[in-house]
Amino acid sequence: MSSHYLDRFFRPGSIALVGASDEPGSVGAQVLENLQQAGFAGTLLAVNPSHRQIGDLPCVASVLDLPETPDLAIISIPARAIPQVIDQCGQAGIRAAVLLAPDLAEGDQSSSLNHIEALRLARLHGIRLIGPDWAGLLRPSSGLVASFGTAMAQPGPLALISQSGALSGAILDWAPTRGIGFSTVVSLGETTDVDVDEILDYLALDPQTRSILLYLERINDARGFLSGLRAAARLKPVIVMKSGRAPTEICPSRSHARALIDPDKAFDAAIARAGAVRVPNMTQLLSSALLLAGGRRLAGDRIAVLANGHGPGRIAGDVIDRRHLSLAPLKETTRQALRLRVPRSHSVANPVDMPCEVAPGDYAACLDDCLRDKGVNGAIAIFTPQSRIEAAETAQKVTDVANTSQKPVLACWMGGDAVEPARRHFSASHFPSYGTPENAVEALAALSRYRRSQALLAQLANAPGDLESPDIQAASSIVDKALRAGLDRLTPEQAKAVLQAFRIPVTPTYVARSRAEACEQARSLGFPVALKINSAAIIRKLAAGGVHLNLVDEDAVTQAWDDIMQAMAQRYPGVATDGCSVEPMHTPRNGHEVMLGVARDAVFGPVIGFGAGGSMVEAIRDIAVSLPPLNDFLARDLVRRTRLSRYLDDGEGLPLAALEQVLLQLSDLVCSLPSVTDIDINPMIVDHGTAIAVDARIHISPAKVDTGYGHMAIMPYPANLAREVELRDGSVVLLRPIRPEDADMEAAFVRSLSPRSRYLRFMEHMSELSTSMLVRFTQIDYDREMALVALAPGDGGEELTQVGVSRYIINPDGNSCEFGLVVSDDWQGRGLGRALMEALMHCAQQRGLSRIEGQVLAANQGMLALMQRLDFIRRPDPDDDSMVLVERTLTAETATNMT
């Protein structure tokens, strides 16, 4: 249980090549040649019924005839024969296979049937599959080249996961000329088994990989993808490129939110929330990965630009502004230091304009002056070739200075042959260098996005209920009633009632079904009022003539009623209407119109948008988006990413605070009501400390998933699982799911354990958790794993300290989980271990898991006794005499008993 199930792919000790051949030009011959030339260190077995010997390799007719069971099968045969070979692999005990058969995914009926049958047989036998694709799988350091491409990767720190074999081949052919090497290359092609999320999960802990490149064309499982991406991005940089930015077709949208929140914006929001960085092209994919793998990070967005020429520095400054970075204002002491080397005819403001023929030492000294400025977070050093200045010498001195600072420095040596020696120096030194100011700024912008995405990754948002408790039952009742009536949209009155149930302020709405009733409602509300057609079938009411505003008396209300009914009869004959809604005009003197919206993305589920509101919302298109659930930090970030936010700040932060509160309530709404697909709150009027929804639309559809948070891509923090437990000796502990901010507490807990307790838990001698282990233990995905910490008052009696933890992680089968448990030495023997295990099993059963299993050292008699009391079945570990395997079936009845 301690090894990763994908080790068979990435660390095989033996490989069977099915379809091995010595026929020149054949797929089997090329794959065999690749493996032999790469120097695969394990056992290589050949399978082909037409051969008895291939070179020095003996060859058998079938995998059933192999002298040993290989860790991995590489299958390079025609599509029609693959199902039979998969079945034979299952009978032979092979549990991992790479399919190098692009014709299996060509899309014709025969190939599709073969693909479906191969997958069925693989699942029947428990075989995991990668492919079909021609680029396959490469691990250069171990000589594993499961590919029939001719490009060979050099060992290096980058990992590449691609859904395009053609792109993988192009990168592999291009990379050696730039001195770029790879730890892993996986080309998934049309894979329907091992997917991106599983590869990411493996590479997250791969010591050979320092940065991950990801090329995507589609996402099969949003929650699984984000889970794997978040796991990897917590430990190392992940850079993502996705094709398909342009929409395939343009069609009218039923809501402003859906028109503004397109699939590409939803993907951007998902990538940022997962802690990764998205780039637009292949050049930035590789350059950003290398830059982030180097380890230097931007602490802020203030950049210093130095150039031995006015024009290039100004160009860099312009791009910096467009990429939401800023030119750092240099301190007076910095400018004075620069003036010692820069003539008064040149500017020492930022960008620093040095003479064209500045001496290499002076250039480096100016860079050093800027890097010492605490207001500078990073720098771009630009060089243009001159007749009397040595480009390579300047490059050497710049790298020497840059290597003394923790701030990122990027070189931009412009030109051709004159600067080629300098570029070779940068390449040999693994120093980031670019040919144009634009590319250098784009690389720094990627560093900035990485900093922001890592901040978003660290955020947890609780399940609904943190704020003033919403009336979820009342809102659900309104939605369910509308669904039973066959409606796909709530009336304005119903929509506002749902918002009110989640404590979102709204203007009152009353429905009038006659001219006289409209006048009566207007008198009751007080003038001026607004009159709007009340119909779920009419979406854009203003454009249809269905909205009249600022009606100051009964005559105006009467005329507006007649005009609306006439317009509806002309434009929408036969469409059902239910009178008009009468609402008070809400026009505070300093009010701003904003829009809050929700659109249901086909991949990532609900996406929340915020931006400028009003009738011109789709023309202005000032909107920022984020995936729910939100917390204070995420709501604030969402608001401040719009151009509008600078006009909303009154100096005291009151309008912004009111908006953030409403966004949190809107997040609760979409988390709690899976049948809600689209929401337009437009306009919402924001004034000094208040935010009130004036108009609202809510679209609904029967939920495909009505339990938990299955409609969402990100699982909320399960705060509802926290509870106090009384132990046998009367002491009380708090059990709750672990949080990222528990890292220091978790580290202190492990340090406090006795050496024996640490060994029994981790099965190795260790004094404390490594940084990567600490991240993995405290920053978890609650959808696929759970960790419950036990907290009790410390020696001081006030601050809670950790005294135990139980955790599970779901196995690849999706039906079972593996657990871990450790209790502080001082708290053993009080019943805490049982309490933690019972709570954990309850969580696992509620998650839908049917079995929990673990691996216990035979010497750990206390744990084995606890397992017996909890009705676990024990059996010897066939692979290790020192271990005992324990497992138990989870049922609804056992979960009830543990509650």
Side-chain angles (χ1 to χ4, degrees):
M1 297 181 186
S2 58
S3 62
H4 199 286
Y5 66 96
L6 292 183
D7 275 342
R8 295 187 182 95
F9 288 101
F10 296 103
R11 300 174 60 189
S14 55
I15 294 175
L17 176 55
V18 183
S21 176
D22 56 6
E23 182 180 344
S26 67
V27 173
Q30 183 64 59
V31 176
L32 180 58
E33 180 183 343
N34 287 345
L35 285 165
Q36 291 175 329
Q37 285 189 355
F40 175 64
T43 302
L44 193 56
L45 307 166
V47 180
N48 191 324
S50 301
H51 295 273
R52 291 295 174 265
Q53 189 84 16
I54 300 177
D56 296 332
L57 281 179
C59 187
V60 298
S62 165
V63 293
L64 296 172
D65 301 324
L66 289 169
E68 62 179 276
T69 301
D71 294 324
L72 176 66
I74 301 174
I75 302 174
S76 56
I77 57 177
R80 65 181 181 276
I82 288 179
Q84 180 184 4
V85 169
I86 292 293
D87 191 32
Q88 292 172 348
C89 285
Q91 295 175 48
I94 299 170
R95 294 295 176 259
V98 175
L99 302 181
L100 300 180
D103 59 332
L104 192 64
E106 286 182 347
D108 59 85
Q109 184 176 6
S110 176
S111 296
S112 297
L113 291 174
N114 286 322
H115 197 175
I116 292 169
E117 179 63 5
L119 185 61
R120 184 189 71 81
L121 290 167
R123 288 175 176 166
L124 177 67
H125 291 294
I127 301 173
R128 302 308 307 274
L129 301 176
I130 287 180
D133 202 13
W134 63 269
L137 168 65
L138 292 82
R139 288 280 278 184
S141 63
S142 61
L144 171 59
V145 184
S147 167
F148 61 85
T150 57
M152 303 292 282
Q154 298 298 314
L158 304 185
L160 170 65
I161 307 172
S162 173
Q163 289 180 334
S164 166
L167 189 73
S168 300
I171 290 176
L172 289 175
D173 188 60
W174 179 77
T177 65
R178 271 72 176 176
I180 297 173
F182 294 90
S183 66
T184 307
V185 178
V186 186
S187 186
L188 293 172
E190 297 293 328
T191 187
T192 48
D193 187 29
V194 175
D195 210 345
V196 174
D197 58 306
E198 296 177 90
I199 307 294
L200 284 168
D201 189 66
Y202 184 89
L203 293 175
L205 297 177
D206 178 32
Q208 298 181 33
T209 300
R210 294 175 59 189
S211 190
I212 300 172
L213 295 77
L214 185 57
Y215 171 75
L216 296 172
E217 295 179 347
R218 66 199 167 277
I219 294 170
N220 299 319
D221 172 18
R223 183 172 279 192
F225 167 72
L226 287 183
S227 176
L229 184 58
R230 287 161 68 88
R234 288 184 177 109
L235 296 171
K236 53 195 66 174
V238 182
I239 300 87
V240 182
M241 177 183 170
K242 183 180 181 296
S243 57
R245 280 181 175 267
T248 55
E249 60 179 336
I250 299 176
C251 54
S253 297
R254 65 183 185 181
S255 68
H256 293 310
R258 183 156 292 203
L260 293 169
I261 305 174
D262 58 49
D264 201 63
K265 283 189 174 67
F267 182 82
D268 276 342
I271 293 302
R273 186 74 184 271
V277 176
R278 186 182 186 184
V279 295
N281 54 55
M282 280 179 57
T283 300
Q284 289 190 38
L285 182 69
L286 287 161
S287 64
S288 299
L290 288 169
L291 182 59
L292 285 162
R296 285 184 171 81
R297 303 287 183 260
L298 275 176
D301 292 332
R302 300 182 300 273
I303 309 302
V305 177
L306 301 89
N308 67 330
H310 182 67
R314 293 290 298 272
I315 291 172
D318 290 345
V319 183
I320 282 172
D321 181 66
R322 291 199 299 270
R323 292 295 175 265
H324 307 293
L325 304 171
S326 63
L327 287 168
L330 300 178
K331 296 183 182 300
E332 179 60 30
T333 53
T334 303
R335 293 197 297 271
Q336 290 174 2
L338 290 169
R339 185 57 72 193
L340 298 175
R341 299 172 184 86
V342 178
R344 293 197 173 275
S345 57
H346 293 253
S347 171
V348 291
N350 196 6
V352 178
D353 178 22
M354 294 177 292
C356 292
E357 297 188 350
V358 60
D362 287 342
Y363 193 124
C366 289
L367 174 61
D368 187 51
D369 291 335
C370 290
L371 292 176
R372 292 178 183 276
D373 191 319
K374 293 183 178 180
V376 172
N377 302 123
I380 298 175
I382 303 174
F383 180 89
T384 58
Q386 307 296 328
S387 59
R388 293 186 294 175
I389 184 171
E390 179 55 53
E393 183 182 353
T394 305
Q396 175 66 60
K397 292 188 177 296
V398 163
T399 55
D400 289 344
V401 168
N403 288 335
T404 65
S405 173
Q406 291 301 310
K407 299 176 182 179
V409 178
L410 278 62
C412 173
W413 258 231
M414 303 175 67
D417 292 343
V419 298
E420 188 57 34
R423 288 183 178 146
R424 288 197 297 270
H425 163 75
F426 288 134
S427 179
S429 305
H430 302 289
F431 192 88
S433 85
Y434 304 86
T436 66
E438 294 90 339
N439 285 344
V441 174
E442 291 290 355
L444 277 180
L447 281 184
S448 175
R449 294 197 301 275
Y450 179 73
R451 187 186 76 253
R452 173 180 171 264
S453 68
Q454 286 289 296
L456 298 182
L457 174 63
Q459 301 304 310
L460 277 185
N462 288 355
D466 267 14
L467 305 169
E468 183 182 353
S469 295
D471 191 344
I472 298 175
Q473 184 175 356
S476 297
S477 176
I478 294 170
V479 172
D480 291 344
K481 182 179 179 180
L483 288 172
R484 287 194 299 270
L487 301 178
D488 63 358
R489 182 183 172 195
L490 302 183
T491 66
E493 188 178 22
Q494 291 171 326
K496 286 188 174 181
V498 169
L499 296 184
Q500 280 185 301
F502 283 86
R503 314 309 183 209
I504 297 174
V506 301
T507 55
T509 295
Y510 299 97
V511 177
R513 293 178 174 84
S514 68
R515 189 185 298 111
E517 192 176 349
C519 290
E520 181 181 349
Q521 296 286 6
R523 284 195 305 271
S524 176
L525 289 170
F527 295 100
V529 296
L531 202 63
K532 305 175 184 178
I533 188 66
N534 188 41
S535 172
I538 301 171
I539 297 174
R540 302 184 183 277
K541 299 175 184 177
L542 183 63
V547 177
H548 284 243
L549 306 175
N550 287 310
L551 306 178
V552 297
D553 54 30
E554 291 186 36
D555 290 341
V557 171
T558 299
Q559 185 61 53
W561 179 280
D562 293 340
D563 290 344
I564 288 173
M565 293 305 165
Q566 182 179 358
M568 295 305 103
Q570 292 175 350
R571 298 192 184 194
Y572 296 98
V575 172
T577 62
D578 185 22
C580 289
S581 60
V582 186
E583 303 172 5
M585 290 296 299
H586 182 69
T587 56
R589 185 168 59 180
N590 297 315
H592 296 273
E593 290 188 338
V594 303
M595 188 202 86
L596 285 75
V598 175
R600 180 67 63 89
D601 182 71
V603 176
F604 294 106
V607 183
I608 296 176
F610 167 79
S615 59
M616 300 293 288
V617 61
E618 292 184 33
I620 298 171
R621 303 191 75 83
D622 176 25
I623 189 166
V625 303
S626 183
L627 296 188
L630 302 179
N631 63 9
D632 293 343
F633 180 95
L634 295 168
R636 190 174 306 116
D637 173 78
L638 182 60
V639 172
R640 294 183 185 277
R641 279 188 283 125
T642 61
R643 300 190 301 275
L644 174 70
S645 64
R646 70 190 70 173
Y647 303 106
L648 295 176
D649 194 345
D650 63 355
E652 299 178 10
L654 294 178
L656 296 177
L659 274 174
E660 291 160 11
Q661 183 77 0
V662 173
L663 282 167
L664 293 176
Q665 292 155 330
L666 183 62
S667 173
D668 277 3
L669 191 159
V670 298
C671 290
S672 303
L673 303 179
S675 295
V676 170
T677 60
D678 295 74
I679 301 175
D680 276 353
I681 303 177
N682 181 41
M684 171 168 273
I685 307 297
V686 182
D687 194 10
H688 187 75
T690 64
I692 298 178
V694 174
D695 201 359
R697 305 173 187 167
I698 296 180
H699 292 264
I700 55 177
S701 178
K704 296 179 181 178
V705 179
D706 58 3
T707 58
Y709 301 95
H711 63 299
M712 299 170 60
I714 298 177
M715 179 81 169
Y717 174 76
N720 60 301
L721 296 179
R723 62 192 181 97
E724 289 187 339
V725 175
E726 183 175 349
L727 304 182
R728 288 198 302 262
D729 63 356
S731 57
V732 176
V733 296
L734 171 66
L735 305 185
R736 66 159 172 80
I738 202 164
R739 302 175 66 99
E741 56 265 33
D742 294 334
D744 290 341
M745 184 173 65
E746 173 83 356
F749 168 69
V750 172
R751 284 196 300 269
S752 72
L753 296 173
S754 67
R756 174 176 170 77
S757 291
R758 281 196 295 268
Y759 179 76
L760 292 177
R761 167 60 182 92
F762 299 104
M763 302 178 192
E764 61 178 292
H765 294 289
M766 58 183 297
S767 58
E768 60 183 340
L769 297 176
S770 66
T771 300
S772 61
M773 291 177 70
L774 200 56
V775 170
R776 291 286 284 182
F777 283 178
T778 58
Q779 298 183 29
I780 69 172
D781 185 324
Y782 302 100
D783 185 49
R784 67 174 185 172
E785 56 188 312
M786 179 56 66
L788 299 175
V789 291
L791 307 177
D795 294 335
E798 296 180 1
E799 186 176 352
L800 294 177
T801 60
Q802 184 175 332
V803 295
V805 60
S806 61
R807 61 178 70 240
Y808 73 69
I809 184 165
I810 298 177
N811 290 324
D813 61 14
N815 298 315
S816 64
C817 63
E818 182 179 354
F819 78 89
L821 171 69
V822 62
V823 174
S824 172
D825 293 76
D826 293 339
W827 283 76
Q828 292 176 13
R830 304 191 195 185
L832 178 56
R834 183 180 187 116
L836 280 166
M837 280 302 300
E838 288 181 341
L840 189 73
M841 288 189 285
H842 175 72
C843 292
Q845 194 280 330
Q846 292 294 304
R847 174 63 178 78
L849 303 178
S850 60
R851 192 177 77 257
I852 186 168
E853 60 188 24
Q855 193 177 34
V856 182
L857 282 167
N860 194 349
Q861 292 300 311
M863 177 68 79
L864 292 174
L866 174 61
M867 295 297 101
Q868 184 173 358
R869 291 194 296 273
L870 291 172
D871 297 327
F872 275 70
I873 297 172
R874 296 168 50 174
R875 56 188 173 88
D877 187 336
D879 300 321
D880 189 345
D881 292 340
S882 67
M883 308 301 298
V884 177
L885 303 181
V886 296
E887 66 175 63
R888 171 181 167 157
T889 300
L890 299 171
T891 64
E893 289 76 15
T894 56
T896 301
N897 293 336
M898 296 169 191
T899 303

